[in-house]
Amino acid sequence: MSDEIYDFTIIGAGPTGLFGAFYAGLRSLKTKVIEALPEPGGQLAVLYPEKMIYDVPGHPHVMARDLVKLLMEQNERFDPDYVYNESVETLTRDESGDEPVWVLGTPRGEHRTRALLISAGIGAFAPNKLDRPGVAKYEGNGVYYFVQDRRPFRHKRVLIVGGGDTAVDWCLNLRDWADEITLIHRREQFRAHESSLTELRLAEIPMLTHWELAEVSGNSVVERARIVQNQTDETRDLDVDIVLLSLGFKASLGPMLDWGLELADQRHIRVDGFMETNLPGVFAAGDIAAVEGSEPLSLIVTGFGQAAIAANAAVKHISPESKLFPGHSSDLRL
Ligand SMILES: Cc1cc2nc3c(=O)[nH]c(=O)nc-3n(C[C@H](O)[C@H](O)[C@H](O)COP(=O)(O)OP(=O)(O)OC[C@H]3O[C@@H](n4cnc5c(N)ncnc54)[C@H](O)[C@@H]3O)c2cc1C
């Protein structure tokens, strides 16, 4: 923490924020990235680090974790400052000094900046938790809400709970890695894509509908899960090593709703074609942004393009005589 004024401060180190930092560096802006989590990557790092992504230009396929690594490597050229484990909670304007600045408040202090990019994705997100005996006791040690590392699942008997894409995708992703997988879902209908469900049926992974998790038990590690049929109350004990609860996420813009930003809805900040919000010098990009006259397209590639626009528009905000167009990076001697 310091009183130093940065040119460009980025809230959120997901793919949008990371690429925004690169472009800001290319435009010689002194840049800082503030991230609430202990690591960069946003949804890629937290929700699906080991999944393959197929729609990033120039990468026929790239694992989410590797894309984050590559973005960080690309940023080394301009070396922005990263601040982790700090959630930005307030945004105020300080006009008392020689130049007006934005002040970002976190539980640890303040960060001052001439312009900023809000690339906070779906906001601070947390998994929907399940309150059943044994679940809290083994959380992080046999009971997981997301897969950050596939290694603990190797040769294990895994019970996956949920009916959405994430639950089904993990069944498919872990099928050749774990020894046994069982999927339970409390309803008849799955929310997952039909093509994934077909793949799941072909893989002959047991899918039990109308079954719910009742209890997790064991000694120092998980040894079994009790499940209950919610129409008949029949119970079964399954010998398992891991329970993966894939019950969706709650996300909220939380404190950002009180920053005076014009919102498109409770999850999106309204921006113009330059990705600027109604507050001067405050830009938004990626999953959190809704461009006037359009509809959010929550994809990595959208965030990349929007972050580049926002960083270049921030240059013009800070120095109105500057050009929006940065020149071609291939012309630069870096
Ligand atoms: C399972 C799954 C699979 C997907 N697959 C694909 C795919 O194949 N292709 C594709 O293009 N897209 C895919 N997506 C969507 C893609 O991940 C998102 O579009 C992308 O992550 C958006 O990036 P972002 O940087 O805008 O936001 P995020 O990735 O959400 O990052 C935002 C960051 O901001 C941080 N943050 C939030 N609030 C604060 C705060 N107040 N202070 C500090 N930090 C804060 C968060 O902790 C987070 O790290 C997938 C999404 C999911 C869930």
Side-chain angles (χ1 to χ4, degrees):
M1 199 80 41
S2 75
D3 283 342
E4 186 176 358
I5 300 172
Y6 279 69
D7 293 318
F8 199 48
T9 299
I10 297 175
I11 303 175
T16 305
L18 292 180
F19 193 59
F22 172 80
Y23 242 100
L26 196 68
R27 296 301 307 262
S28 305
L29 297 183
K30 182 158 180 56
T31 303
K32 182 193 275 183
V33 184
I34 305 176
E35 168 57 54
L37 297 172
E39 56 174 345
Q43 294 171 52
L44 287 73
V46 176
L47 300 184
Y48 60 107
E50 307 235 350
K51 284 182 78 171
M52 216 48 103
I53 304 171
Y54 299 93
D55 54 353
V56 176
H59 295 272
H61 54 81
V62 58
M63 196 178 273
R65 166 176 291 153
D66 294 337
L67 181 60
V68 177
K69 250 192 230 153
L70 289 167
L71 287 163
M72 290 298 284
E73 194 182 314
Q74 190 172 20
N75 280 357
E76 279 170 19
R77 183 177 294 283
F78 303 116
D79 203 18
D81 288 339
Y82 296 99
V83 176
Y84 293 110
N85 292 311
E86 274 197 50
S87 182
V88 180
E89 293 183 352
T90 57
L91 176 67
T92 49
R93 186 93 165 142
D94 179 0
E95 300 197 340
S96 63
D98 293 343
E99 57 170 331
V101 289
W102 289 105
V103 183
L104 284 63
T106 79
R108 295 206 196 156
E110 291 183 340
H111 301 267
R112 306 170 84 74
T113 189
R114 296 186 173 92
L116 68 131
L117 173 64
I118 304 174
S119 50
I122 49 178
F125 49 96
N128 290 322
K129 298 219 168 178
L130 191 64
D131 183 15
R132 295 286 184 277
V135 167
K137 174 177 171 192
Y138 293 105
E139 190 177 328
N141 179 31
V143 172
Y144 302 98
Y145 285 97
F146 29 63
V147 183
Q148 281 184 285
D149 184 354
R150 257 172 23 140
R151 280 173 299 182
F153 293 74
R154 188 72 177 144
H155 295 312
K156 294 288 164 51
R157 297 162 301 175
V158 183
L159 173 66
I160 299 183
V161 183
D165 277 314
T166 312
V168 171
D169 285 355
W170 278 117
C171 287
L172 295 171
N173 270 302
L174 293 171
R175 70 187 142 169
D176 299 326
W177 183 257
D179 273 1
E180 248 178 65
I181 295 181
T182 305
L183 174 68
I184 61 169
H185 179 39
R186 67 189 163 137
R187 297 202 181 93
E188 188 64 37
Q189 296 301 325
F190 284 82
R191 293 185 314 281
H193 280 110
E194 196 43 53
S195 59
S196 309
L197 289 168
T198 305
E199 212 182 323
L200 196 64
R201 286 186 198 104
L202 289 174
E204 296 185 1
I205 292 171
M207 298 158 69
L208 305 177
T209 52
H210 290 292
W211 286 84
E212 298 184 27
L213 182 70
E215 182 175 353
V216 180
S217 60
N219 286 306
S220 58
V221 293
V222 170
E223 292 172 3
R224 79 197 64 78
R226 173 160 295 175
I227 58 172
V228 57
Q229 218 282 3
N230 59 23
Q231 294 170 315
T232 62
D233 285 340
E234 177 195 344
T235 59
R236 274 187 212 170
D237 285 332
L238 307 179
D239 291 331
V240 295
D241 309 297
I242 291 184
V243 176
L244 176 60
L245 297 166
S246 199
L247 308 171
F249 285 83
K250 279 191 292 282
S252 142
L253 298 195
M256 282 175 243
L257 296 173
D258 302 323
W259 292 357
L261 292 159
E262 188 190 329
L263 303 174
D265 54 49
Q266 288 299 296
R267 297 178 62 175
H268 297 100
I269 299 169
R270 174 69 71 212
V271 289
D272 64 16
F274 293 101
M275 310 313 297
E276 193 164 10
T277 69
N278 59 310
L279 304 179
V282 178
F283 298 83
D287 277 15
I288 204 165
V291 181
E292 184 77 52
S294 179
E295 209 179 290
L297 185 62
S298 298
L299 291 172
I300 296 164
V301 70
T302 316
F304 284 167
Q306 294 180 341
I309 295 171
N312 285 296
V315 172
K316 263 193 95 59
H317 170 81
I318 296 166
S319 315
E321 70 288 356
S322 300
K323 287 195 173 125
L324 179 73
F325 187 62
H328 292 134
S329 71
S330 53
D331 291 334
L332 302 175
R333 290 181 195 281
L334 297 174

